[in-house]
Amino acid sequence: MSLQYIYDFPEDAPHYPNDFYPVQDGLQKLKVKNQFLLDELRSIESGEWRKVYQDGYRGREQVSIHYFESPTGQVFDLKVKSGWSN
């Protein structure tokens, strides 16, 4: 994995929609179950990484933002998906 894809905040990632509006109770943070991926993430920063799902709107469209979050809040592999995940 490359540090060039690590961002300090979700909003810093290139795919983060500028017009994203999160919904109340639309945030979920889960443990990373894929041990190989978790080992790779911990090579970037040790500790408890989480898979984050944030539901909201991009304009009028329901979307969900997915990313991995480090213990210090850094963001890796942010993606925007259609529909809500929570």
Side-chain angles (χ1 to χ4, degrees):
M1 286 185 211
S2 174
L3 291 177
Q4 68 182 355
Y5 300 110
I6 299 290
Y7 303 97
D8 290 331
F9 303 99
E11 296 83 0
D12 294 341
H15 299 296
Y16 188 89
N18 293 335
D19 57 348
F20 181 74
Y21 178 76
V23 295
Q24 185 175 1
D25 299 326
L27 179 68
Q28 188 173 29
K29 295 183 180 188
L30 304 172
K31 288 184 177 183
V32 177
K33 294 180 183 178
N34 181 322
Q35 190 60 47
F36 177 77
L37 175 60
L38 185 57
D39 291 343
E40 290 290 312
L41 291 168
R42 285 182 175 157
S43 73
I44 296 168
E45 182 179 325
S46 63
E48 187 81 27
W49 282 77
R50 296 286 182 174
K51 176 70 177 186
V52 178
Y53 300 92
Q54 175 71 61
D55 293 339
Y57 290 95
R58 178 175 55 193
R60 298 171 80 187
E61 178 188 8
Q62 290 182 346
V63 296
S64 184
I65 296 177
H66 298 193
Y67 57 90
F68 296 96
E69 183 180 61
S70 77
T72 61
Q74 291 189 323
V75 173
F76 173 74
D77 195 28
L78 184 136
K79 296 177 183 170
V80 180
K81 310 245 180 185
S82 292
W84 287 349
S85 298
N86 297 309

